Amino acid sequence: MSKSIKHHLTDDLLMAYAAGNLPEAFDLMVATHLSLCDHCRARAESFEAVGGQVLEDQAQTAQMGSDALAATMALISQGAPTPKPAHKKCAVLPAPLQDYVGGDVNDIRWRPVGMGVKQAILPTTNEATARLLFIPAGAAVPDHSHRGIEMTMVLQGAFSDEVDHFARGDVEIADQDLEHMPVADISEDCICLAVTDAPLKFTKLMPRLFQPFLRI
Amino acid sequence: MFTEIDIATMDEPAADSVPPQPWRTNKRIKGKPVNGTKKSCDTRAEWVNHIKRIRDAQDQAAFAELFQHFAPRVKAFLIRSGSDATTAEECAQEVMATLWHKAHLFDPSRATVATWVFTIARNKRIDVIRKQRRPEPEELDWGPEAEPEQDDVIALQQETAQLRTAILALPEAQRELIEKAYFGDLSHREIASQTGLPLGTIKSRIRLALDRLRHAMN
């Protein structure tokens, strides 16, 4: 858990996550941030409390079949589902991301997109896209704007742009109104999780969008 | 999306079947809980002990009572979220089985049983109806050695009872919007944050519980 997070998730996103209405890629962003940020975890869990009340106070309930309890006891007697293998402590990838990468930071299957920048698209439903980005220390991502919403969360290193400085756990939420040029801190390579709901064709767009240069 | 098949009102479990509760002095109320009274929060807090009995003693009687209360709610929730009645029945059974198997993960200093059941039902809906994986944050639990403080548990259960009163007091249109959001009838773009939910206190309460949990884990 990181105590120094300055840039948090919005109420809209946390409520939609609690309600279960987000595209998978955004769920992944929220779950990853909550793993690092107890401030937002408490906010998300308070939105879940609202869900508990909605469940409790429904106008109507639905009668279960007459053998439902016996059937459930039979299900229970089959034993608990095999628990997922415990996650390794990884200084970069919180547990939800390890699930999507299938390992830790060394297992990410990076694809170069030019000038040292690399990306790895994670397997989610296609309403939105999640990808990991690797930006070499000191490199910049040239001015670009966004279609739809793009959220970027820092996992390692840090970057700065016209808005602020973003370090591990910080989330930048950019929409079509923001034009910015993120620059990775010189001290360390920057790894981010980036999620967008725009139907981007990364393979075509990436070489044009990401032409980093070294700032020394 | 709403199907009326199999919808019926279900009675609360019988009052006399409830075992003694350590922190409860009032009698359980039969039927609809009274909004926001001391009694209503006791009614809700006692489910916490049912979960403990399942966790510590695989208590089938406690499970049967929880089942009678929550399974029809979970089933109605899933039908309302777009599931057909057969799928909803199966899923409600699976949700209740999960509750048994994960009883050791329930943290009553951060959630009521209703909230916890909601999260399991929600994940089932995402899995089965939306056919999507549900990434969850890193799990935090007290482990076998530690337990949350009793005072924290009672406080959280009371805050939630107050939240419920506040939700029930919202204007009808606003409450409908919230219900729609939680039944999955609204996309994330349609969910506005200006729902007027008074979440400040409960959020602080959960945050405190998280801080204590982190402290216990270290």
Side-chain angles (χ1 to χ4, degrees):
Chain A
M1 212 207 30
S2 175
K3 290 206 188 309
S4 55
I5 296 173
K6 287 186 298 182
H7 299 276
H8 297 278
L9 297 174
T10 61
D11 276 347
D12 290 19
L13 268 166
L14 290 172
M15 185 177 175
Y17 178 76
N21 291 342
L22 287 175
E24 186 181 347
F26 282 88
D27 273 352
L28 180 58
M29 170 64 79
V30 175
T32 304
H33 181 77
L34 299 193
S35 299
L36 299 177
C37 179
D38 278 356
H39 170 71
C40 288
R41 194 191 278 248
R43 292 164 68 209
E45 290 181 6
S46 68
F47 280 116
E48 288 177 343
V50 178
Q53 300 314 298
V54 169
L55 179 88
E56 180 71 31
D57 288 326
Q58 292 170 91
Q60 288 173 302
T61 58
Q63 192 159 18
M64 296 292 287
S66 53
D67 62 343
L69 178 58
T72 305
M73 291 314 300
L75 264 183
I76 289 168
S77 68
Q78 290 169 17
T82 333
K84 283 188 285 184
H87 297 94
K88 282 183 275 183
K89 272 282 163 219
C90 173
V92 180
L93 302 184
L97 271 181
Q98 290 187 37
D99 286 341
Y100 277 77
V101 165
D104 62 19
V105 69
N106 300 313
D107 299 306
I108 302 171
R109 286 184 291 277
W110 295 111
R111 303 247 183 274
V113 290
M115 298 296 287
V117 176
K118 297 183 279 188
Q119 70 163 343
I121 294 178
L122 302 174
T124 64
T125 54
N126 58 14
E127 301 158 277
T129 309
R131 67 193 197 278
L132 291 165
L133 277 178
F134 177 98
I135 306 159
V141 180
D143 262 355
H144 65 284
S145 54
H146 310 86
R147 297 194 287 154
I149 297 173
E150 184 174 79
M151 298 173 65
T152 309
M153 181 173 133
V154 177
L155 298 162
Q156 174 190 295
F159 72 81
S160 300
D161 66 7
E162 288 79 349
V163 179
D164 207 341
H165 182 255
F166 296 84
R168 177 166 167 85
D170 282 329
V171 181
E172 178 166 52
I173 302 177
D175 58 18
Q176 48 270 45
D177 298 331
L178 179 75
E179 260 193 51
H180 66 154
M181 186 170 80
V183 180
D185 281 15
I186 193 72
S187 54
E188 196 178 4
D189 295 332
C190 183
I191 295 178
C192 296
L193 171 66
V195 169
T196 177
D197 66 353
L200 286 182
K201 301 277 185 282
F202 289 106
T203 44
K204 286 179 197 154
L205 280 170
M206 286 301 284
R208 186 164 60 82
L209 284 179
F210 292 94
Q211 296 167 336
F213 54 89
L214 284 173
R215 285 162 56 106
I216 298 172
Chain B
M1 301 290 265
F2 185 67
T3 321
E4 287 190 64
I5 304 169
D6 269 354
I7 298 260
T9 310
M10 187 82 185
D11 285 329
E12 298 283 310
D16 57 4
S17 61
V18 176
Q21 307 294 319
W23 64 74
R24 193 173 63 93
T25 49
N26 292 320
K27 268 281 175 201
R28 179 173 164 73
I29 306 157
K30 192 162 163 42
K32 278 263 170 197
V34 180
N35 303 336
T37 63
K38 180 77 172 63
K39 284 181 178 180
S40 122
C41 93
D42 283 342
T43 305
R44 309 166 66 64
E46 78 192 10
W47 294 124
V48 170
N49 257 22
H50 282 64
I51 301 289
K52 279 189 189 156
R53 283 159 60 195
I54 293 169
R55 182 194 68 184
D56 298 338
Q58 292 78 50
D59 187 330
Q60 295 199 11
F63 183 76
E65 286 173 18
L66 276 169
F67 189 93
Q68 196 184 358
H69 182 81
F70 285 109
R73 284 173 169 74
V74 171
K75 183 174 176 182
F77 168 79
L78 293 169
I79 290 173
R80 182 68 211 280
S81 304
S83 168
D84 64 81
T86 311
T87 309
E89 169 89 21
E90 281 171 19
C91 289
Q93 291 179 16
E94 287 165 18
V95 165
M96 297 309 291
T98 301
L99 184 132
W100 175 289
H101 290 308
K102 293 199 169 174
H104 61 288
L105 293 175
F106 173 61
D107 182 351
S109 67
R110 281 156 60 205
T112 60
V113 176
T115 298
W116 187 50
V117 173
F118 162 74
T119 62
I120 300 171
R122 170 202 64 199
N123 291 1
K124 181 59 77 178
R125 183 186 82 207
I126 294 172
D127 178 28
V128 173
I129 303 176
R130 296 185 61 193
K131 306 210 181 341
Q132 186 172 305
R133 278 169 85 182
R134 167 72 178 190
E136 288 281 331
E138 245 163 48
E139 240 159 46
L140 303 176
D141 65 70
W142 289 90
E145 299 88 24
E147 289 249 5
E149 293 290 331
Q150 203 64 215
D151 286 353
D152 289 346
V153 173
I154 293 167
L156 186 276
Q157 305 294 318
Q158 284 173 348
E159 303 291 2
T160 312
Q162 282 161 22
L163 171 66
R164 179 189 209 191
T165 312
I167 292 173
L168 291 172
L170 286 174
E172 188 59 29
Q174 219 173 337
R175 224 172 64 213
E176 268 175 28
L177 194 69
I178 291 168
E179 283 180 2
K180 273 186 149 180
Y182 283 87
F183 286 127
D185 289 349
L186 295 181
S187 78
H188 69 287
R189 288 197 180 283
E190 294 169 299
I191 295 181
S193 54
Q194 56 269 28
T195 43
L197 289 167
L199 292 175
T201 331
I202 195 163
K203 184 186 74 193
S204 311
R205 180 66 56 192
I206 296 170
R207 181 61 207 267
L208 184 71
L210 286 170
D211 287 347
R212 295 196 184 177
L213 175 55
R214 293 282 187 192
H215 186 73
M217 285 166 77
N218 287 334

